[in-house]
Amino acid sequence: MTLKSARIGCAALCVALMAGQAFAECTPSAVSGDLDFAVCKDWPAYPGQSISAKATFARAAGSDVETSGFYDFDLSVVQDGQAVPIATFHQDSAFESNGVALHELTLDTARYSVTPDIRAFGVRTRFTNSSRLNPLDETQLTLYVREGQTLRPVLQQLLVYQYGGEWDGNCEGERSEITRTVEIAKTSSHGYADLVVKTRETGTSSVGRGDACKDKITESKPVSTILRYDGKSYVLPQGFKGL
């Protein structure tokens, strides 16, 4: 083989590999409405598998508001090269849009090893409103595990981010921000690892007018909370569950 043919062969191989990688990447499901959401992500814990999520909007019966309604939710795990998902989950009217609406849908494939043999994955749903004076922005995390051909939620609607408040449109008002992270504990309950949730909270109050407007910021110390599995799901303390 000449040097030229070797280079051509290498180039062809590189193109083929790139094409194969592109082909292997998952593609989100098709959506039919402007308010629908669809996402897809490769699952690093299980090479060759990908996760797909889809939220399909339906306007509430009798409502004159186009954005008032409910979302049906579909979730699936797909094996490369197979047309039929290997595991699925479906929930009618999983999310409501009524003043506060679904804004973003993402997949979380962090290392949620709830048992030595089971790796959970997360679905993060972000909800917002359109109010300038009373803003609300929150993100919820739900964890799922695969059980045969079924995907089961084991942690539901944990509030991992929230921003909200009230102000007069000029200066005076109060806002608060909460962020939470999730870690796997060394302890366990009913066979599932406990979860360590760390909460950070920041509050801002504003007083004055015009150039005299001043902000006062308070940051609370991080607080750790243990979530334990009760045999069906992780139990959330009051205030930890999203809307």
Side-chain angles (χ1 to χ4, degrees), residues 130-151:
S130 56
S131 174
R132 177 172 172 266
L133 302 182
N134 299 91
L136 177 66
D137 187 338
E138 76 170 50
T139 299
Q140 304 170 9
L141 171 65
T142 297
L143 295 182
Y144 295 83
V145 297
R146 180 188 170 193
E147 295 179 343
Q149 297 180 338
T150 301
L151 298 172

Side-chain angles (χ1 to χ4, degrees), residues 67-217:
T67 58
S68 178
F70 296 87
Y71 282 90
D72 291 343
F73 181 62
D74 289 281
L75 188 63
S76 62
V77 173
V78 179
Q79 182 71 45
D80 286 354
Q82 296 185 15
V84 179
I86 58 178
T88 61
F89 173 84
H90 173 80
Q91 183 179 356
D92 289 329
S93 302
F95 317 122
E96 183 178 5
S97 175
N98 185 12
V100 178
L102 182 63
H103 182 82
E104 187 178 24
L105 182 69
T106 58
L107 297 169
D108 182 351
T109 56
R111 295 182 179 180
Y112 298 114
S113 298
V114 292
T115 80
D117 301 320
I118 299 177
R119 178 79 66 87
F121 66 87
V123 175
R124 291 178 179 255
T125 46
R126 181 186 174 196
F127 298 86
T128 62
N129 67 4
S130 56
S131 174
R132 177 172 172 266
L133 302 182
N134 299 91
L136 177 66
D137 187 338
E138 76 170 50
T139 299
Q140 304 170 9
L141 171 65
T142 297
L143 295 182
Y144 295 83
V145 297
R146 180 188 170 193
E147 295 179 343
Q149 297 180 338
T150 301
L151 298 172
R152 180 172 68 88
V154 293
L155 172 69
Q156 299 189 61
Q157 296 176 269
L158 172 65
L159 187 63
V160 292
Y161 178 81
Q162 184 182 64
Y163 174 84
E166 181 177 1
W167 70 305
D168 63 3
N170 295 307
C171 172
E172 296 190 354
E174 296 182 349
R175 286 92 68 198
S176 64
E177 185 178 45
I178 296 173
T179 58
R180 291 192 173 102
T181 58
V182 181
E183 299 177 2
I184 303 297
K186 294 181 179 180
T187 56
S188 63
S189 303
H190 295 276
Y192 271 51
D194 297 334
L195 303 179
V196 180
V197 177
K198 294 183 178 180
T199 303
R200 295 177 180 270
E201 186 169 358
T202 302
T204 303
S205 59
S206 303
V207 294
R209 292 184 178 181
D211 294 338
C213 183
K214 294 183 179 180
D215 291 338
K216 180 181 179 181
I217 300 175

Side-chain angles (χ1 to χ4, degrees), residues 59-69:
R59 187 189 301 184
S63 176
D64 295 330
V65 181
E66 293 185 359
T67 58
S68 178

